[in-house]
Amino acid sequence: MHLTRRQIGSRVSIQAPPRGRKVKILATVGPASRSPEMVERLLRAGVDAFRVNMSHGDHATHAETIATIRAAERDMGRPVAILCDLQGPKLRVGTFAEGKVLIRHGAHFTLDRDPAPGTAERVCLPHPELFEVLRKGQRLLIDDGKLKLRVIKAEADTILCTAEVGGFISDRKGVNVPDAVIPVPAMTEKDRRDLAFAVEQGADWIALSFVQRPEDVAEARRLMGGHGALCAKIEKPAAVDRLDEIIELSDAIMVARGDLGVELNPEEVPPLQKMIVEATRRSGKPVIVATQMLESMIESPAPTRAEVSDVANAVYDGADAVMLSAETASGAWPVEAVTIMDRIGKQVENSPGYSARIHFTDVQPDATTADALARASAEIARTVTLAGIIVFTGSGSTARRVARERPGVPMLVLTPSQKVARKVALLWGAYAVHTKDIGTFEEMIAKGKRMALRHGFGSAGSKLIALAGVPFGTPGATNLLHVVTLGSAS
């Protein structure tokens, strides 16, 4: 990778060029990857954004991790998004007298409110709200679906079940209830504390887990107080039923296939993934495909062919980002996992059928000047040989509109807001540069050309489109499209 050096104060920063792929890589940082050396290696390998999993670790550790990422960001000269992922409400059984028991296939098993240690016949379920909603015939999935119980009789203090799939059950194993909407908020007290911490630390994105209803998203947004952007994780069947409303209230959507796969039959997940990606793309908001993408690389230096195909399919579907979880957080081969994901993205995007596949989703622009110009820029890129599209934006909305069209050329996003530059690091095809604002049309053209040459968007004679709003500095006022030709670098 060619790197450009530039001076910042007394320190030399390395300006990293565009990735050469449009899909973004979101990597979870954890024990295997939080050191300064490893964070830098992951960025060089292809990471565009880091996920901080609030389910593990304490605030002191997370603060140190975020500081490490910001330091690497300054050294690389590339905006890096940080996504803090809230744990969300996790339903669990109580404890057992001997730590674990065997529930045999077909046996009866009771969940009750008695806090006494469990036996092979019963255990405490310390969630009163479940006793209010569970009904005969509904399922309870224990330990990520390894055990499946079916409700025979539900009463105020006891739920009698039969074990359709038995097995060992141990202390505090998770419980999923796919057949009912649980009357619990998507945010626990821990989540509220974690969200306040994430806002204080300047997180660019907050991911909300176990969303069931639009009200969950509205509550999280209220608590964020206008800081950062909100990503709703779709991992509950109840959320799918109200997907359009949830998308409307969110800034991005994550297809969290782990828990979604627990509560649904395995064969239901792939078409649902495509439906969620398509619906989110139509809205023009970023969509992330996550969980178990290169799962074998937690222990192996190479992925399975099926995993490679899984990642490739997400890229073909036009996902804005693909995510690595334990592969980079705790796996033995974090850099290799990012490297292969980077290679898959580039290979797919350079394949002959990619352009046709990525436009299978019918994305219609809204009836606004900004959307019309974004659509026009993509059409021009299909007609004229362009090196890229230059977007001047103060809020990031124009960049999002252009990305929605999935143009055939990369997008250079110039913004006076560092927060916006970091936020769009998860946006398909966007390469953001934090730079001073512009005041005149002439200044826009001169800066656009200068930045395009500096950051590798073409060379002398290359044509690019410039999009902006006049008067400059007015959010949401995109009303100008101009084709520019680059001169020689000064």
Side-chain angles (χ1 to χ4, degrees):
M1 174 173 25
H2 174 69
L3 301 172
T4 303
R5 295 182 178 271
R6 59 190 177 92
Q7 196 76 22
I8 299 182
S10 60
R11 178 164 56 177
V12 174
S13 173
I14 304 299
Q15 180 65 56
R19 294 289 191 196
R21 62 173 155 74
K22 299 182 178 71
V23 67
K24 300 303 183 71
I25 296 177
L26 172 62
T28 305
V29 63
S33 53
R34 66 166 60 105
S35 70
E37 297 76 18
M38 186 57 75
V39 167
E40 183 175 334
R41 289 181 65 193
L42 292 176
L43 283 171
R44 293 186 184 281
V47 169
D48 300 289
F50 284 104
R51 169 179 174 254
V52 177
N53 188 356
M54 305 305 289
S55 299
H56 307 289
D58 54 28
H59 285 181
T61 302
H62 295 322
E64 184 177 346
T65 297
I66 291 170
T68 298
I69 295 170
R70 291 301 185 217
E73 174 189 57
R74 288 191 297 271
D75 290 342
M76 290 287 288
R78 178 199 297 278
V80 177
I82 294 177
L83 179 145
C84 286
D85 193 343
L86 305 181
Q87 177 177 283
K90 189 71 174 177
L91 306 175
R92 299 182 185 277
V93 299
T95 59
F96 293 86
E98 297 182 3
K100 69 176 181 179
V101 300
L102 174 64
I103 303 177
R104 299 191 180 279
H105 296 294
H108 284 183
F109 190 78
T110 300
L111 302 162
D112 58 37
R113 299 189 187 219
D114 184 356
T119 66
E121 289 75 38
R122 59 151 297 275
V123 73
C124 178
L125 184 61
H127 300 285
E129 59 274 8
L130 288 180
F131 292 85
E132 299 173 7
V133 299
L134 282 172
R135 300 290 183 265
K136 180 180 178 180
Q138 293 181 332
R139 295 167 294 162
L140 292 97
L141 308 176
I142 315 294
D143 192 10
D144 291 338
K146 294 183 177 67
L147 289 83
K148 182 165 78 172
L149 307 180
R150 181 81 62 174
V151 177
I152 299 174
K153 183 169 63 173
E155 298 181 337
D157 296 315
T158 60
I159 301 170
L160 178 63
C161 304
T162 183
E164 292 189 349
V165 178
F168 283 101
I169 179 173
S170 55
D171 294 346
R172 302 200 169 279
K173 286 300 181 184
V175 179
N176 290 80
V177 186
D179 302 327
V181 176
I182 311 302
V184 295
M187 296 185 65
T188 65
E189 285 305 313
K190 169 180 164 53
D191 293 325
R192 291 169 183 268
R193 292 192 300 271
D194 289 343
L195 187 148
F197 164 82
V199 167
E200 178 186 297
Q201 290 289 316
D204 308 295
W205 289 89
I206 305 291
L208 184 63
S209 298
F210 299 110
V211 171
Q212 295 190 90
R213 52 185 89 78
E215 293 80 2
D216 297 334
V217 182
E219 172 69 3
R221 187 175 291 286
R222 183 185 67 80
L223 292 171
M224 288 167 66
H227 298 283
L230 181 59
C231 176
K233 295 170 65 178
I234 306 302
E235 48 195 334
K236 302 284 289 182
V240 178
D241 296 334
R242 303 185 69 179
L243 181 63
D244 289 340
E245 296 169 86
I246 291 170
I247 292 174
E248 184 177 354
L249 291 175
S250 306
D251 296 306
I253 294 293
M254 181 185 293
V255 189
R257 305 177 305 174
D259 278 275
L260 193 60
V262 170
E263 300 203 4
L264 296 170
N265 294 319
E267 67 275 11
E268 295 178 275
V269 176
L272 192 57
Q273 171 182 319
K274 290 184 178 294
M275 184 269 285
I276 297 170
V277 170
E278 184 174 358
T280 310
R281 280 192 54 192
R282 282 199 304 268
S283 77
K285 296 177 181 180
V287 58
I288 305 162
V289 176
T291 321
Q292 298 176 337
M293 301 211 79
L294 297 175
E295 185 84 354
S296 68
M297 291 194 73
I298 296 172
E299 298 178 352
S300 170
T304 66
R305 300 298 181 268
E307 288 168 340
V308 172
S309 293
D310 180 40
V311 176
N313 275 320
V315 179
Y316 275 121
D317 288 345
D320 288 79
V322 284
M323 192 180 99
L324 294 165
S325 299
E327 298 97 328
T328 52
S330 57
W333 307 94
V335 175
E336 289 77 7
V338 173
T339 300
I340 190 64
M341 190 167 265
D342 175 71
R343 287 165 48 195
I344 295 167
K346 290 175 180 175
Q347 185 73 29
V348 169
E349 292 175 2
N350 288 323
S351 64
Y354 173 70
S355 179
R357 284 285 303 274
I358 203 171
H359 288 106
F360 79 96
T361 299
D362 183 23
V363 177
Q364 292 298 320
D366 296 331
T368 65
T369 301
D371 273 84
L373 290 178
R375 168 62 65 92
S377 68
E379 291 291 344
I380 294 171
R382 281 193 279 271
T383 307
V384 180
T385 301
L386 296 177
I389 299 172
I390 307 170
V391 175
F392 292 85
T393 181
S395 66
S397 63
T398 304
R400 181 173 61 79
R401 286 183 169 97
V402 173
R404 178 186 188 179
E405 300 296 331
R406 298 298 191 258
V409 295
M411 175 171 43
L412 174 61
V413 181
L414 303 180
T415 176
S417 169
Q418 188 177 52
K419 291 181 179 179
V420 170
R422 288 168 172 166
K423 178 181 174 182
V424 302
L426 275 177
L427 194 61
W428 187 93
Y431 174 82
V433 176
H434 178 215
T435 184
K436 292 180 180 178
D437 207 353
I438 51 176
T440 66
F441 176 81
E442 291 75 15
E443 187 182 352
M444 178 194 83
I445 299 303
K447 172 165 278 193
K449 290 181 176 181
R450 187 168 63 252
M451 289 296 178
L453 287 168
R454 180 181 299 175
H455 295 276
F457 281 73
S459 55
S462 297
K463 285 185 169 59
L464 296 96
I465 289 173
L467 281 176
V470 178
F472 297 108
T474 304
T478 302
N479 58 9
L480 185 152
L481 185 154
H482 189 77
V483 178
V484 300
T485 302
L486 299 184
S488 58
S490 57

